[in-house]
Amino acid sequence: MSNDIEVLCGKVAQIAVSTGEFLKIQQAKLHRSDIEFKGVRNYVTHIDKEAEQQLVKELGALLPEASFLTEEGTVEYQKERYTWIIDPLDGTTNYIHGDKPFSVSIGLKEDDKIILGIVYDPVAEEMFSATGKDTAQLNGKPISVSNHPSLNNGYIGFGIPYSLDEKGEQILKNAFAQFRQCSFRIKGSAAIEICSVAMGRSDAYFHSGLSPWDVAAGSFILKCAGGTCTDFSGGENYLFGKELVASNGAIHREILQGIITTL
Ligand code: 2AM
Ligand code: CA
Ligand code: CA
Ligand code: CA
């Protein structure tokens, strides 16, 4: 696989572009009646599902032995050596409001490790990709994290979970209380937010309640760009653990200390 991973990455990027084009065209035609609810503030449309089915078909043809772990569950997950971890439309809330950004997120896992990540923003036409250490790219050019050294004047993204449990609420309270010297942003696409840290546009991002398809590709791209990704305790359980702190590395400890201060 290692010799072919670059070639595979190029093909996956092409697939992401065609799914992104589909999303962009469909957004203009979207009606209120297309919107379904998974829960309060938690939307889905038939476009999420169609985009996912398109990805499953095309990625399945690239690597027939791979399984799929997808947000909309249009294909059943089976444990295999290779798994595509897919969010066909990351940023659905932006999408249904005619807003941006939104993205296509595709990670490839081999056993327990991600080996390829693609996040494509079709409106900005930004393709983030990585296949290993020091290979992170934006539109084919190398990227790396910011060198911002402290929370002072930090530019920090975050998200608000659809269902806010006590711990999630405490995290947000802690962040606002502790990080007064930062500028905060909510952009609404977790995958793009993590890649924004990877390319140095922002210094950090945190969110509780995220799922593997939100995090798989972006966290891999971030690490390949020199950044740090952990759960709220500083551990490795961010893919399935529903807790993510992504940063340029330099301010990671300060963020963790701020978030967990009164947990
Ligand atoms: P989605 O658009 O694919 O649902 C918004 O907060 C960002 O976080 C979006 O990228 C959204 O993905 C993602 N997200 C995933 N799980 C979430 C949750 N439980 N609550 C809020 N946002 C979630
Ligand atoms: Ca969703
Ligand atoms: Ca998502
Ligand atoms: Ca989604």
Side-chain angles (χ1 to χ4, degrees):
M1 173 68 77
S2 61
N3 289 342
D4 301 334
I5 192 83
E6 290 299 328
V7 177
L8 184 65
C9 190
K11 290 180 182 167
V12 176
Q14 279 173 7
I15 290 170
V17 168
S18 76
T19 304
E21 282 307 306
F22 170 75
L23 293 178
K24 227 166 38 172
I25 291 164
Q26 294 302 318
Q27 188 183 31
K29 301 184 196 166
L30 198 69
H31 289 112
R32 195 162 268 276
S33 59
D34 295 322
I35 301 165
E36 301 160 41
F37 288 87
K38 291 180 173 178
V40 178
R41 296 195 296 122
N42 187 354
Y43 309 97
V44 67
T45 71
H46 62 92
I47 300 163
D48 297 62
K49 295 170 200 168
E50 283 168 35
E52 181 172 301
Q53 280 167 342
Q54 195 176 315
L55 286 168
V56 166
K57 192 170 148 221
E58 292 182 31
L59 295 170
L62 277 188
L63 201 61
E65 66 269 37
S67 180
F68 289 91
L69 181 61
T70 65
E71 175 168 17
E72 307 311 336
T74 60
V75 58
E76 206 175 310
Y77 169 69
Q78 284 172 338
K79 197 167 176 2
E80 301 285 355
R81 181 166 181 211
Y82 293 106
T83 305
W84 294 109
I85 306 182
I86 296 175
D87 192 340
L89 169 47
D90 185 55
T92 300
T93 305
N94 289 351
Y95 189 82
I96 61 156
H97 289 92
D99 207 351
K100 56 187 186 340
F102 53 87
S103 61
V104 181
S105 174
I106 303 169
L108 179 62
K109 188 164 75 63
E110 179 181 12
D111 300 322
D112 289 331
K113 284 203 168 96
I114 308 291
I115 57 167
L116 180 160
I118 289 279
V119 173
Y120 182 58
D121 174 342
V123 176
E125 297 184 357
E126 288 189 333
M127 174 70 69
F128 296 92
S129 64
T131 52
K133 197 171 168 359
D134 298 331
T135 66
Q137 297 184 340
L138 165 55
N139 292 344
K141 300 212 172 83
I143 51 171
S144 59
V145 292
S146 79
N147 58 11
H148 195 76
S150 79
L151 279 179
N152 236 348
N153 300 314
Y155 190 57
I156 314 277
F158 74 102
I160 303 172
Y162 298 136
S163 77
L164 201 52
D165 62 10
E166 234 172 80
K167 187 174 178 188
E169 194 176 327
Q170 193 59 50
I171 294 290
L172 292 175
K173 282 184 184 160
N174 290 349
F176 291 137
Q178 302 287 323
F179 305 161
R180 284 166 199 248
Q181 64 281 44
C182 299
S183 301
F184 282 113
R185 292 292 182 274
I186 298 180
K187 293 181 189 156
S189 163
I192 291 177
E193 298 252 31
I194 302 166
C195 289
S196 296
V197 181
M199 56 87 74
R201 198 177 271 158
S202 55
D203 303 312
Y205 172 70
F206 65 92
H207 201 314
S208 59
L210 295 181
S211 295
W213 40 82
D214 302 306
V215 171
S219 61
F220 181 67
I221 294 167
L222 173 66
K223 283 186 150 187
C224 294
T228 302
C229 228
T230 69
D231 56 35
F232 291 159
S233 314
E236 292 282 316
N237 190 21
Y238 55 84
L239 193 57
F240 292 94
K242 300 204 165 282
E243 297 182 353
L244 175 85
V245 179
S247 86
N248 67 357
I251 62 173
H252 206 85
R253 186 184 290 265
E254 254 188 295
I255 293 190
L256 287 180
Q257 279 169 351
I259 282 179
I260 62 173
T261 176
T262 56
L263 275 184

